[in-house]
Amino acid sequence: MDSTREPARGGDARDAKAGKETVRRHNLSLVLRAVHEEGEATRAAVAARVGLTRAAVSSLVEQLLAGGFLTERGKTFSGHAGRPGTALRVADTGPAGLGVEINVDYVSACVVDLAGADRVRLTEEVDNQDARPEEVLARAARIAARALDAAAGKGLDAAGAGLALPGLVSGGAVRQAPNLGWNRVDAGRLFAEALRAAAPGRGEPAVTVDNEANAAALAELWFGGPADAPRLRGFVYLTGEIGVGGALVLDGALLRGAHGFAGEIGHLVVDPDGPRCRCGSHGCLEQYAGQAALLRGAGVAESAGARGVAELEARARRGEPRAVAALERAGRMLGLAVSAAVNLLDPDAVVLGGVFRPLMEWLGPAAERELAARVVSGLWAVGSGRLRASSSSGDAARGAAALVVRGVLADPAGHAPPPAPGARVVSSG
Amino acid sequence: MDSTREPARGGDARDAKAGKETVRRHNLSLVLRAVHEEGEATRAAVAARVGLTRAAVSSLVEQLLAGGFLTERGKTFSGHAGRPGTALRVADTGPAGLGVEINVDYVSACVVDLAGADRVRLTEEVDNQDARPEEVLARAARIAARALDAAAGKGLDAAGAGLALPGLVSGGAVRQAPNLGWNRVDAGRLFAEALRAAAPGRGEPAVTVDNEANAAALAELWFGGPADAPRLRGFVYLTGEIGVGGALVLDGALLRGAHGFAGEIGHLVVDPDGPRCRCGSHGCLEQYAGQAALLRGAGVAESAGARGVAELEARARRGEPRAVAALERAGRMLGLAVSAAVNLLDPDAVVLGGVFRPLMEWLGPAAERELAARVVSGLWAVGSGRLRASSSSGDAARGAAALVVRGVLADPAGHAPPPAPGARVVSSG
């Protein structure tokens, strides 16, 4: 039967019921996000914040407690769940986000709880350039499965998975990931299949794929900087990996572009006749400031990965001329590419993450001199503080996991429907 | 008496009255914009579109007719002003916008009516590099005054003025305009004073200052392309003048940046060790693709202005090798800078205006080859059609004037308050 031809009779009642359910779902999210943003709040404070009645908030809170989204702090007596004045927090068990970053020389998996805390973390150094995409994704799924096991031991259950990759991502698929050697790989579907095989008991978390710099920039936006300082709402983000990833945050949201491919600052040309890049162009920033170029320039083995970066840092700290020169050259090239982004976008700040973070002491001054010389507005003088290292609290895996958590906060009922009002409230404690 | 200490008594009534007035102003704009967007509409069609009652729309329409914002089409019998079925249009007399563009080698002034039509246009070739900012602004004000006189002859009265300049603009002032040699010039205030002196009988139109590429991009957004084709909602805009201006349009709005300085694509570096630019940097795009560089490269006198560009076009059309080579070199540099903007922003399209428009036949192919080689997404292959010439229908002066008109459409009551409901309607015909 063609449902569009169903008689209209009864439609109003169905619409009203559907409308009521939409409002309930919306209000559940409103209350959950209010508690999330406050960190800790009483029902009265939530009601004042969201503009609903105390009675409505109490009912919604009961549903969120029952669904495992909220807990009560310091609750020592049973039967007092609805007592006014009891502080609510988002649960540190229950719905969580799985985040997985596949990069050229490592895989990182983490599980983030509803409050945004990174509760499980596994990182393995592997060479992902030597394997087919299917093998790399299966390898990542096995690491993710171990993270899910560890999370289950803490009472956390992934409501979805975020997969971050160093490439152009659109509609869940990778269009191109030059440094992985991937071209049109249906990464979302392949990873979901691999995860099903690697973690057969863990349901089928929906997979969202994103560019790794985008995910890292979201982590910086949501978790970066000291908790008491105002967060940056707009910045250009660069992450030093084997390549150089980039992302643009404007007014607290990612600028994704017409097809999802915005932010490719690693492929800004700093020398039109420079060496060929894996993207097909010549003289891209990542040929001068990517991890491989940095290590090579300093005479450290390119294949040394994270140990190589630590070695480069140690040599620069000892003042070894070749290491210092390699970093200054990379800093100049960073400054040149960043000046283009600044002249185009006039951002509040530029944040350098990944391997740039520990190397900022040497990269920063060289980049700042270039910016001071090239930014038209004159707002980027040396020492302006607009060029800064990323915080240590976020990376692409955490950002990808936090995207899943944001989805749960935006629609808790859609992730683990709490019972309808009036159902018995079962304490999770 | 300190009004904040006035007793609260009577406040509710005042608030209610103020609230009602706010709603009336909002609804006047709603109705005016509905007619503006439809081009021509009956009261019934307006009511259906804006979701107000026929009676409310009729009352608002009477006020807009009385204020001179709307007219009735084909109205041949008096006393039938409210007759249902009579088509409404925005007035081609009454409130209008004055737009003035000051560029390095010309000043352009126009008056745009409520429908967006360019009704008066004056352009003078002048050398604005040789004069102090005050003199240049006084010169522009004299041209603007003549435009206002011509507009008055057509029954048009400027509700405000938009001033477009090739420089960084913030808060009505020019921070820096390298090609004019301006540094921290309070252009808005100075132009308002000069206009008051040059056009003493014309009131004191409020002056809004904007970057000329921003204004030209808005003209492209609002007036560009064939009327029956879907308008571009997001694009990078470059305008070839003595320098190279740029603007970014995302989702139908300008991306202005944290301080209003976004879009400076003319100062993207295409050769780090290239010639010194007036902005203080080296090897900026405008040193290779600005009008001065184009003419110099082709062996045409730099000072020849618009005639020089026409001469360059004629020489290229004859296949003169030096002209063709200069254009191809400029096209490559344009492609290089545009590839940076595309890799960063992933726009739907890039639009080339100003002197680039007549030279597109030679600049375009060279730029497209560079884009094909350098854009990571692979979406910018030669012949993709994503790089295009601007339409002929918009320029910075028209965009600046249209910004004023948008302000009138957004709040007609704030510009020439129509009488309250019940006042006698006076026909302007």
Side-chain angles (χ1 to χ4, degrees):
Chain A
M1 182 183 161
D2 182 354
S3 67
T4 63
R5 293 186 162 260
E6 215 178 332
R9 198 157 17 104
D12 283 0
R14 272 201 311 278
D15 285 358
K17 198 176 164 190
K20 214 169 154 185
E21 176 59 14
T22 303
V23 171
R24 187 182 77 95
R25 287 174 76 151
H26 172 79
N27 286 343
L28 280 170
S29 168
L30 210 61
V31 168
L32 180 57
R33 283 181 289 130
V35 176
H36 179 262
E37 278 157 36
E38 293 287 335
E40 191 172 299
T42 62
R43 288 166 175 78
V46 171
R49 183 178 169 132
V50 302
L52 294 171
T53 66
R54 284 285 301 275
V57 167
S58 283
S59 164
L60 293 161
V61 163
E62 292 316 307
Q63 296 170 55
L64 291 166
L65 286 166
F69 299 101
L70 290 179
T71 56
E72 286 178 292
R73 183 184 154 82
K75 187 186 150 202
T76 48
F77 306 101
S78 61
H80 289 248
R83 190 183 64 202
T86 309
L88 301 162
R89 306 186 67 131
V90 293
D92 61 0
T93 55
L98 168 67
V100 178
E101 179 190 359
I102 296 178
N103 220 310
V104 179
D105 56 353
Y106 64 89
V107 170
S108 225
C110 70
V111 177
V112 164
D113 66 20
L114 278 186
D118 198 339
R119 301 282 299 282
V120 172
R121 166 72 61 162
L122 294 172
T123 299
E124 284 192 16
E125 290 199 25
V126 283
D127 183 350
N128 287 325
Q129 279 179 318
D130 277 359
R132 288 182 304 116
E134 292 77 4
E135 290 167 28
V136 171
L137 288 160
R139 179 185 289 163
R142 288 193 295 274
I143 298 171
R146 290 189 357 245
L148 290 176
D149 282 343
K154 298 181 176 186
L156 292 164
D157 186 24
L163 175 62
L165 290 152
L168 302 182
V169 174
S170 186
V174 173
R175 184 181 174 90
Q176 205 192 351
N179 288 311
L180 288 170
W182 293 14
N183 200 6
R184 297 180 191 268
V185 175
D186 193 356
R189 185 179 57 77
L190 291 169
F191 183 71
E193 286 172 10
L195 192 58
R196 205 150 53 221
R202 304 256 166 249
E204 299 189 15
V207 175
T208 307
V209 189
D210 212 332
N211 171 276
E212 56 94 15
N214 279 352
L218 287 176
E220 184 70 25
L221 175 69
W222 290 330
F223 309 118
D228 54 351
R231 297 217 182 285
L232 279 176
R233 299 277 302 162
F235 55 90
V236 172
Y237 186 87
L238 282 81
T239 173
E241 310 291 343
I242 296 291
V244 174
L248 314 174
V249 175
L250 293 178
D251 272 338
L254 279 176
L255 177 74
R256 292 186 176 273
H259 315 88
F261 303 151
E264 288 295 330
I265 197 166
H267 298 284
L268 262 55
V269 175
V270 291
D271 177 1
D273 303 316
R276 187 173 172 84
C277 179
R278 293 182 71 111
C279 77
S281 180
H282 289 262
C284 294
L285 171 64
E286 72 177 44
Q287 295 304 313
Y288 301 86
Q291 177 181 312
L294 278 170
L295 297 183
R296 196 169 53 237
V300 178
E302 267 183 63
S303 58
R307 284 180 311 283
V309 176
E311 172 65 22
L312 170 58
E313 185 186 350
R315 290 188 190 182
R317 200 163 297 287
R318 288 196 303 268
E320 198 179 284
R322 190 171 171 191
V324 172
L327 287 167
E328 286 190 347
R329 178 177 143 96
R332 277 200 310 279
M333 293 309 202
L334 272 170
L336 193 55
V338 167
S339 78
V342 170
N343 279 328
L344 267 180
L345 297 166
D346 181 22
D348 276 320
V350 171
V351 178
L352 301 184
V355 305
F356 297 145
R357 215 174 78 77
L359 303 171
M360 200 61 185
E361 190 175 330
W362 302 276
L363 296 171
E368 276 203 318
R369 282 192 296 275
E370 205 68 31
L371 284 164
R374 302 209 184 259
V375 173
V376 186
S377 71
L379 293 172
W380 289 71
V382 170
S384 68
R386 293 178 183 276
L387 181 74
R388 55 187 78 172
S390 72
S391 69
S392 58
S393 40
D395 69 352
R398 189 174 179 200
L403 258 177
V404 173
V405 165
R406 295 263 150 172
V408 176
L409 295 173
D411 184 19
H415 284 84
R424 188 162 154 269
V425 175
V426 180
S427 166
S428 64
Chain B
M1 181 183 166
D2 181 352
S3 68
T4 62
R5 291 186 164 260
E6 216 178 330
R9 202 159 11 105
D12 282 0
R14 272 200 311 278
D15 286 357
K17 197 174 166 192
K20 215 170 155 184
E21 176 58 15
T22 303
V23 170
R24 187 182 76 95
R25 287 174 75 150
H26 172 79
N27 286 343
L28 280 170
S29 167
L30 210 59
V31 168
L32 180 57
R33 283 181 290 129
V35 176
H36 178 261
E37 279 156 38
E38 293 287 335
E40 191 172 299
T42 62
R43 288 164 174 79
V46 171
R49 182 176 170 136
V50 302
L52 294 171
T53 65
R54 285 284 301 274
V57 167
S58 283
S59 163
L60 293 161
V61 163
E62 293 314 307
Q63 297 170 57
L64 290 166
L65 286 166
F69 299 101
L70 291 179
T71 55
E72 285 178 291
R73 182 182 156 82
K75 189 186 149 202
T76 46
F77 306 100
S78 62
H80 289 247
R83 191 184 61 202
T86 309
L88 301 162
R89 307 185 69 131
V90 293
D92 60 1
T93 55
L98 168 67
V100 178
E101 179 189 0
I102 295 178
N103 222 310
V104 179
D105 56 354
Y106 64 90
V107 171
S108 224
C110 70
V111 177
V112 164
D113 66 19
L114 278 186
D118 199 338
R119 300 282 298 283
V120 172
R121 167 70 62 160
L122 295 172
T123 299
E124 283 192 17
E125 289 201 24
V126 283
D127 183 350
N128 286 325
Q129 278 179 319
D130 276 358
R132 288 182 306 114
E134 292 77 4
E135 290 167 29
V136 171
L137 288 160
R139 177 184 292 163
R142 287 193 296 275
I143 297 171
R146 292 194 349 249
L148 290 176
D149 282 343
K154 298 182 176 187
L156 291 164
D157 185 26
L163 175 63
L165 290 151
L168 302 180
V169 174
S170 187
V174 174
R175 183 183 174 89
Q176 205 192 350
N179 288 311
L180 287 170
W182 292 14
N183 200 8
R184 296 178 193 269
V185 174
D186 194 355
R189 185 179 57 76
L190 292 170
F191 183 71
E193 287 172 10
L195 192 57
R196 205 150 52 222
R202 303 253 167 252
E204 299 189 15
V207 176
T208 307
V209 190
D210 211 333
N211 172 275
E212 56 94 15
N214 280 352
L218 287 176
E220 184 70 24
L221 174 68
W222 291 329
F223 309 116
D228 54 349
R231 297 216 181 285
L232 278 175
R233 300 276 304 162
F235 55 91
V236 172
Y237 186 87
L238 283 81
T239 172
E241 309 290 342
I242 295 293
V244 174
L248 314 174
V249 176
L250 293 179
D251 272 338
L254 279 175
L255 178 74
R256 291 186 176 273
H259 315 87
F261 303 153
E264 288 294 331
I265 198 167
H267 298 284
L268 262 54
V269 174
V270 291
D271 177 1
D273 303 315
R276 187 174 173 84
C277 180
R278 294 182 71 112
C279 77
S281 180
H282 288 262
C284 294
L285 172 64
E286 72 177 41
Q287 295 304 313
Y288 300 86
Q291 178 182 312
L294 278 171
L295 297 184
R296 195 168 53 237
V300 177
E302 267 183 62
S303 57
R307 284 180 310 281
V309 176
E311 171 65 24
L312 170 58
E313 185 186 350
R315 290 189 190 182
R317 201 165 296 288
R318 288 198 301 270
E320 199 180 284
R322 191 168 171 194
V324 171
L327 287 167
E328 285 191 348
R329 178 178 143 97
R332 278 201 308 280
M333 293 310 201
L334 272 169
L336 194 56
V338 167
S339 79
V342 170
N343 279 327
L344 268 180
L345 296 166
D346 182 21
D348 275 318
V350 171
V351 178
L352 301 183
V355 305
F356 297 146
R357 214 175 78 76
L359 303 171
M360 199 61 186
E361 189 175 332
W362 302 276
L363 297 170
E368 276 204 317
R369 282 193 296 275
E370 206 68 31
L371 284 163
R374 302 208 185 261
V375 173
V376 187
S377 71
L379 292 171
W380 288 70
V382 171
S384 68
R386 294 178 181 275
L387 181 74
R388 55 186 80 171
S390 71
S391 69
S392 59
S393 39
D395 70 351
R398 189 174 179 199
L403 260 176
V404 173
V405 165
R406 296 261 151 173
V408 176
L409 294 172
D411 184 18
H415 285 84
R424 187 160 155 272
V425 175
V426 180
S427 167
S428 63

